[in-house]
Amino acid sequence: MPCSPRLSHPCTRPRCDWLRFTGLVIAITLCAGSVAHATELDDTRELFQTGRYQQCITVTQQALDARRYGEDWPVLHVESQLMLGRHEEARAATTAALKRYPWSIRLRLMSRQMFHKAGQAEQAQAELAEIRRLILRFPWRYTDTANLVACGDALLQLEAEPRDVLLNFYDRAKKENPNRPDAYVAIGNLALEKHDDALAAEEFRAAVKQFPDDPDVQFGLARALASSDSQAAQQALDRALEINPQHVPSLLFTIDRLIDAERYDDAEATIRLVLEINPLQSQAWAYRAVLAHYAADPKGEQAYRAAARGRAVNEPSVDYLIGKKLSRNYRFREGAAYQRRALQQDADFAPATIQLAQDLLRLGDEEEGWQLAQAGFKRDGYDVVSFNLITLQENLAKFRTLEDDDFIVRMDAREAAVYGPRVLQLLQRAKQTLCEKYDLQLSAPVIVEIFPDQSDFAVRTFGMPGGAGYLGVCFGNVITANSPASQAGNPTNWESVLWHEFCHTVTLNLTNNKMPRWLSEGISVYEERQADGRWGQSMTPQYRKWILDDKLTPISQLSSAFMSPPSGMHLQFAYFQSSLVVEHVIEKHGLDALKLILHDLGAGVPVNVALERRTEGLAKLENDFAKFARKRAMALGPDVDWTEPRRDETGIIEADAGAPLDSKNIAVLTEHAKTLLAAEQWESAKQPLQKLLELLPEDISSENAYVLLATAHRQLGETDQETAVLEKLAARSPDALPVYLRLLTLAVERQDWKAVEINANRIISVNPLLPRAYNAWARACRELGKPVAAVAAYQAVLELEPHVAIDAHYQLARLLHKNDPQSAKNHLLRALEEAPRFREAHRLLLKIHREQKSAEPQESAEPIETKAD
Ligand SMILES: [Zn+2]
């Protein structure tokens, strides 16, 4: 079992010699650092923090010329030079400063970084060795905040235990001088590096309270929150850039996010901004290589990669970054190739190892993927991603695998026994429908993993716990999904989820994963609707309003609607709009046009170019689509009065002239009906509810008129009417579990076995783990003369309720009696174990026994076995 890698918890991994070493430093009594020229220095530091690098260089140069004492002056001077990419000046200034301050660890760390960037590995190593010597020899020198943090940074480069560095240097620095942000930033960054975003967020949140005007602190918070709270992350990022518009790390992070949102033009504009500040900024060039890749410009990609690398040899971080960005946008194969290059330059570079492990697992190359995950964990036991992967691997080992020619399905063993075959059938149906429709021949089996534990799903999918909103994710030939067991409170139709994800498999295969997010989602949602009218999304009053209020995102920027949506509903709207665009393209230009667009994407053509080419031009498409969407919106409730009714301060609708029943306003009618229901005026409530259903039959939101009307009928004992109303709702809703359950009860009561079968299957398509559904379905199958399905249903009951399934055992014995008397006997014995006085079971057992005897008179009576099935 691997140890917990969290920085906040101790790791039981053997410690290296540095522990003794770090202890030594801490044993030294801290003394006050130099406070000379504090105010002047603070003013100069502010120049740096607000991005006035040139001014900072001028002021620090004056101080250096005047031979002002203190390493802070040259440190700030060199930092400013480096910000502007003036490496040679920075080198010269560092060399000069080290003559005066040969003991300065902060200067030597910068010196090491410069040697490294210049490809002078030996000199870089020599600096590190010198730092080590200095710390060991003169530990009393390095006890102020800045130096404690610098020592911590250096020790991490010397491969000290991160947790020891955290406790003995960073935490110590924070305690000794809580008025400086350095230690907070160092701790937060270390946590980010280990993918421990929660710890990083905690640290930066505390820092922001104290140092709201520090751009590094705001930027750190933005990074820490990016995966959990996109909006808050954006706010922090905006704040950092407000304080310092030239804050290169924040600008780089902005580029990163713009690339994820597929806003490539904006990303390029920000890259230009960074390169204006620092023409040699390595990451900016790396991002430009990523953009060149997306623009199918291999020459540019190569040239920008070379610019990013500069003179650094054996420097893996550029290839790591390019690969990571490609993988983020689903180019796992290309991303993996970059990670391999990174590892060629430095085989011990843990981030590339871990990223490659994830890429390979997403590509379905599991053997090497897991090996690398193990290797990554060995290399960096503190990295949360590799720790999570190792734990996941252990959990996955307990899963059961179901296979056919096209799919490898992994599920929890019990779930596999209950509904595994149904999963395979559904996937086969999806494969036959969609592969034929889109002319795709799958070249390898598709791996589908269904997780009963949401956090396992998240780790397999994102490398991290989180992502609670996702039901399933497709990487191409690997699909991950949450099992219904993980969504107790809010179950969704798992069949529609798998259909949706498999559709991604088709479109990702067709385009070699070169798929803009919106189009991929749009086709999947559209195909859900094609497969089953209840699946996918449909027009709602909210969507109608947004469309009519011109809130559609332009098609050319549609992927950005998936990034930082203001609410969950906005994200859903992005899916819906995307599916409408697909529907419009198919209606107006034909399925073949869509297929040609996919073909173009596969060949590396940017999506907007493909749309331009395969429709009547992008501008016309935008225009036509807006009209199409408006028409669709207008078609919802054409007779409804959509005005917002006036409400008093408590939220109650103010009475207008005229009876509520004359109104065509949904809110007015709904409120009127609810008042009547609350007063138990069931008969009177029927009228407004029936009117609501006439006006807006599409409304299947949680408190819809169907449910309310069914309640009224039920109270009045009008079972047939109740059934009819609920049946209408069931025919529209893909996941109305309580409605299906009620319909099942009603169908069993009136012994309508066809209806029992339909509703049991509706239930199973949402929650396949309810014994009640299988019991009822099994009975229906018996009544409808479907013994094979009945056996499967009873077997599911046995899996789900092994200790109370006496009737299931008995019924299975009856069903198996003719063809498999031995199994029948076993089931009877199991039933009798639980209920020894079960007379029918005794009778049937005796009967089978006699039959077997008379069929084989030459053999002696076979001893009754009690083995399990
Ligand atoms: Zn999707």
Side-chain angles (χ1 to χ4, degrees):
M1 185 69 197
C3 66
S4 164
R6 296 251 159 175
L7 290 165
S8 42
H9 299 107
C11 181
T12 54
R13 187 167 90 130
R15 293 168 172 205
C16 72
D17 284 350
W18 281 100
L19 178 62
R20 266 183 288 136
F21 172 62
T22 54
L24 170 71
V25 175
I26 285 321
I28 304 300
T29 318
L30 295 182
C31 63
S34 163
V35 289
H37 315 298
T39 324
E40 204 184 337
L41 204 54
D42 282 347
D43 290 346
T44 316
R45 208 174 272 132
E46 204 193 317
L47 290 176
F48 183 84
Q49 277 202 345
T50 49
R52 287 171 285 176
Y53 303 123
Q54 183 51 57
Q55 262 174 283
C56 192
I57 289 171
T58 311
V59 173
T60 47
Q61 185 63 58
Q62 284 163 0
L64 293 176
D65 291 344
R67 294 199 55 82
R68 300 284 287 279
Y69 190 78
E71 61 174 335
D72 285 309
W73 294 111
V75 165
L76 262 178
H77 185 73
V78 173
E79 276 180 340
S80 303
Q81 298 276 23
L82 289 175
M83 271 296 166
L84 300 179
R86 298 182 192 160
H87 292 184
E88 275 171 30
E89 289 95 323
R91 173 82 270 161
T94 309
T95 309
L98 277 174
K99 280 195 184 127
R100 193 168 178 200
Y101 311 103
W103 46 263
S104 171
I105 288 178
R106 291 162 68 198
L107 283 166
R108 287 200 185 276
L109 271 177
M110 289 197 292
S111 170
R112 169 178 155 75
Q113 191 198 341
M114 281 183 269
F115 280 131
H116 184 72
K117 283 242 158 96
Q120 294 167 287
E122 266 177 40
Q123 288 94 322
Q125 203 48 41
E127 279 300 14
L128 199 57
E130 177 60 11
I131 291 171
R132 182 180 189 277
R133 192 188 69 80
L134 285 167
I135 303 179
L136 281 171
R137 187 106 191 262
F138 312 107
W140 42 268
R141 271 195 210 275
Y142 309 110
T143 50
D144 60 299
T145 311
N147 269 308
L148 278 173
V149 170
C151 284
D153 294 350
L155 290 172
L156 286 174
Q157 293 181 30
L158 285 159
E159 295 182 7
E161 279 291 312
R163 189 174 155 72
D164 294 333
V165 171
L166 179 78
L167 290 177
N168 295 331
F169 290 87
Y170 296 158
D171 269 351
R172 187 89 185 195
K174 199 161 77 176
K175 274 187 206 122
E176 291 305 327
N177 189 354
N179 299 322
R180 288 279 310 255
D182 316 34
Y184 290 91
V185 173
I187 296 171
N189 285 343
L190 178 59
L192 284 172
E193 192 192 306
K194 304 300 176 197
H195 295 105
D196 195 342
D197 290 6
L199 177 65
E202 204 179 294
E203 200 63 28
F204 283 117
R205 268 207 196 96
V208 155
K209 276 191 199 142
Q210 227 180 317
F211 317 102
D213 297 328
D214 188 308
D216 289 329
V217 168
Q218 293 286 359
F219 166 64
L221 184 63
R223 280 178 73 200
L225 295 178
S227 60
S228 59
D229 186 346
S230 186
Q231 296 252 308
Q234 189 59 49
Q235 275 171 14
L237 192 60
D238 291 344
R239 180 75 192 113
L241 285 167
E242 196 184 311
I243 302 162
N244 180 356
Q246 318 256 359
H247 194 248
V248 171
S250 293
L251 290 170
L252 292 170
F253 195 56
T254 304
I255 298 167
D256 205 276
R257 286 164 72 86
L258 288 169
I259 292 177
D260 289 347
E262 297 172 22
R263 287 168 57 187
Y264 301 139
D265 292 344
D266 295 335
E268 173 54 34
T270 315
I271 289 173
R272 274 200 300 274
L273 219 61
V274 173
L275 293 177
E276 270 166 32
I277 301 167
N278 176 0
L280 302 178
Q281 219 299 325
S282 163
Q283 270 170 274
W285 286 107
Y287 284 127
R288 198 170 256 178
V290 173
L291 293 185
H293 185 101
Y294 291 141
D297 169 15
K299 274 195 185 148
E301 185 178 343
Q302 226 176 345
Y304 300 140
R305 172 180 176 265
R309 286 165 56 80
R311 277 176 288 168
V313 284
N314 297 331
E315 169 48 57
S317 64
V318 168
D319 285 330
Y320 164 68
L321 176 64
I322 298 175
K324 198 171 112 179
K325 285 323 289 173
L326 295 180
S327 295
R328 177 70 213 252
N329 281 19
Y330 278 64
R331 313 286 173 91
F332 304 114
R333 210 165 289 288
E334 297 92 324
Y338 268 101
Q339 302 310 339
R340 288 191 196 282
R341 276 209 235 177
L343 289 170
Q344 272 165 16
Q345 291 154 65
D346 180 356
D348 293 329
F349 189 58
T353 308
I354 296 160
Q355 182 64 42
L356 181 57
Q358 282 186 295
D359 287 341
L360 294 178
L361 289 173
R362 285 164 184 168
L363 286 164
D365 186 350
E366 299 187 329
E367 203 182 322
E368 197 188 350
W370 289 122
Q371 272 172 13
L372 282 162
Q374 294 278 0
F377 183 69
K378 267 191 204 125
R379 240 163 251 171
D380 186 352
Y382 284 88
D383 184 82
V384 176
V385 170
S386 54
F387 171 76
N388 286 341
L389 283 175
I390 299 301
T391 313
L392 171 68
Q393 191 186 13
E394 287 167 8
N395 292 349
L396 265 172
K398 296 173 212 145
F399 277 33
R400 187 179 295 172
T401 305
L402 307 171
E403 273 179 80
D404 65 14
D405 290 344
D406 304 300
F407 295 97
I408 299 169
V409 177
R410 295 199 186 98
M411 299 170 74
D412 164 76
R414 188 187 69 137
E415 290 192 26
V418 174
Y419 70 104
R422 230 181 148 92
V423 170
L424 273 177
Q425 275 166 22
L426 185 277
L427 289 169
Q428 271 301 340
R429 198 153 57 81
K431 190 213 141 199
Q432 270 148 27
T433 309
L434 295 169
C435 287
E436 195 185 306
K437 183 168 181 181
Y438 288 91
D439 309 318
L440 175 72
Q441 201 90 40
L442 280 174
S443 55
V446 176
I447 297 170
V448 180
E449 288 173 358
I450 300 176
F451 294 90
D453 182 341
Q454 197 277 339
S455 60
D456 278 345
F457 161 79
V459 168
R460 174 68 166 104
T461 311
F462 315 108
M464 286 286 166
Y470 287 89
L471 301 167
V473 167
C474 174
F475 297 113
N477 277 20
V478 173
I479 290 171
T480 57
N482 278 301
S483 108
S486 70
Q487 327 164 23
N490 199 9
T492 35
N493 188 306
W494 61 267
E495 296 187 337
S496 71
V497 171
L498 288 184
W499 195 279
H500 175 109
E501 299 307 333
F502 182 76
C503 186
H504 282 310
T505 297
V506 173
T507 50
L508 287 168
N509 266 283
L510 284 171
T511 56
N512 302 317
N513 282 30
K514 293 174 188 166
M515 194 72 184
R517 171 102 191 256
W518 76 263
L519 185 58
S520 194
E521 298 300 356
I523 297 177
S524 278
V525 175
Y526 169 79
E527 285 301 344
E528 275 185 76
R529 283 201 294 271
Q530 298 302 304
D532 187 323
R534 301 170 306 147
W535 295 356
Q537 291 202 53
S538 46
M539 188 71 73
T540 66
Q542 179 65 70
Y543 295 168
R544 176 190 179 278
K545 184 171 179 344
W546 277 336
I547 292 172
L548 297 180
D549 288 349
D550 289 327
K551 294 273 166 62
L552 288 168
T553 308
I555 299 171
S556 59
Q557 295 162 30
L558 199 39
S559 284
S560 67
F562 290 84
M563 274 288 286
S564 314
S567 71
M569 182 73 88
H570 284 83
L571 179 63
Q572 291 305 315
F573 185 55
Y575 279 89
F576 179 61
Q577 188 195 330
S578 301
S579 76
L580 273 193
V581 175
V582 169
E583 197 169 325
H584 170 67
V585 168
I586 292 175
E587 263 186 26
K588 179 106 198 271
H589 305 280
L591 178 64
D592 284 340
L594 182 67
K595 286 192 206 169
L596 287 170
I597 290 167
L598 295 175
H599 181 267
D600 287 351
L601 291 171
V605 177
V607 65
N608 291 345
V609 177
L611 288 172
E612 177 84 29
R613 194 195 277 182
R614 303 300 181 184
T615 65
E616 293 163 37
L618 191 53
K620 184 157 170 20
L621 179 67
E622 298 269 17
N623 232 321
D624 289 350
F625 171 68
K627 279 186 210 144
F628 170 84
R630 281 188 85 84
K631 210 169 136 197
R632 279 299 173 88
M634 295 296 282
L636 184 75
D639 298 325
V640 169
D641 163 13
W642 288 103
T643 54
E644 202 57 53
R646 279 206 318 276
R647 292 174 189 272
D648 65 17
E649 56 279 4
T650 59
I652 294 174
I653 295 173
E654 287 180 3
D656 275 327
L661 262 186
D662 295 335
S663 173
K664 290 185 171 184
N665 188 292
I666 301 298
V668 171
L669 285 165
T670 306
E671 193 167 292
H672 179 54
K674 280 187 179 170
T675 310
L676 294 170
L677 288 174
E680 302 191 3
Q681 296 185 34
W682 314 115
E683 193 60 50
S684 316
K686 277 156 62 178
Q687 246 184 315
L689 291 167
Q690 275 155 353
K691 190 166 178 190
L692 276 168
L693 289 185
E694 277 162 29
L695 283 167
L696 195 61
E698 294 90 345
D699 182 16
I700 53 166
S701 58
S702 56
E703 281 207 320
N704 58 64
Y706 295 103
V707 172
L708 299 177
L709 183 57
T711 309
H713 285 310
R714 191 173 175 177
Q715 293 295 338
L716 291 165
E718 298 167 347
T719 309
D720 288 352
Q721 287 97 319
E722 182 197 354
T723 308
V725 171
L726 291 180
E727 187 49 52
K728 277 187 198 158
L729 174 56
R732 283 184 183 273
S733 172
D735 48 20
L737 193 55
V739 173
Y740 307 156
L741 285 165
R742 175 72 184 149
L743 284 171
L744 184 80
T745 305
L746 293 170
V748 171
E749 275 171 14
R750 63 178 191 276
Q751 304 210 339
D752 178 348
W753 303 116
K754 193 69 212 152
V756 170
E757 187 181 34
I758 290 170
N759 285 295
N761 278 285
R762 282 174 177 158
I763 293 165
I764 292 167
S765 72
V766 181
N767 185 345
L769 302 171
L770 283 182
R772 195 180 142 196
Y774 292 98
N775 259 319
W777 183 32
R779 170 84 196 274
C781 289
R782 271 167 44 216
E783 301 287 347
L784 295 167
K786 297 178 177 177
V788 178
V791 169
Y794 278 125
Q795 276 163 347
V797 175
L798 294 187
E799 284 291 335
L800 292 167
E801 290 189 312
H803 301 299
V804 293
I806 299 159
D807 184 57
H809 278 300
Y810 173 65
Q811 297 298 350
L812 273 168
R814 285 183 60 191
L815 286 158
L816 296 170
H817 165 195
K818 288 269 150 50
N819 295 328
D820 188 356
Q822 192 51 46
S823 293
K825 276 161 72 179
N826 289 339
H827 281 295
L828 288 169
L829 290 170
R830 297 280 293 277
L832 288 167
E833 252 173 51
E834 302 292 335
R837 289 159 185 268
F838 191 173
R839 301 188 98 190
E840 284 89 346
H842 279 294
R843 228 173 274 144
L844 184 56
L845 185 61
L846 204 63
K847 188 175 171 207
I848 296 174
H849 206 58
R850 281 199 200 112
E851 282 170 3
Q852 281 186 316
K853 245 180 149 182
S854 62
E856 297 167 52
Q858 71 279 20
E859 280 183 22
S860 61
E862 177 186 319
I864 294 168
E865 290 171 19
T866 50
K867 74 171 169 106
D869 282 343

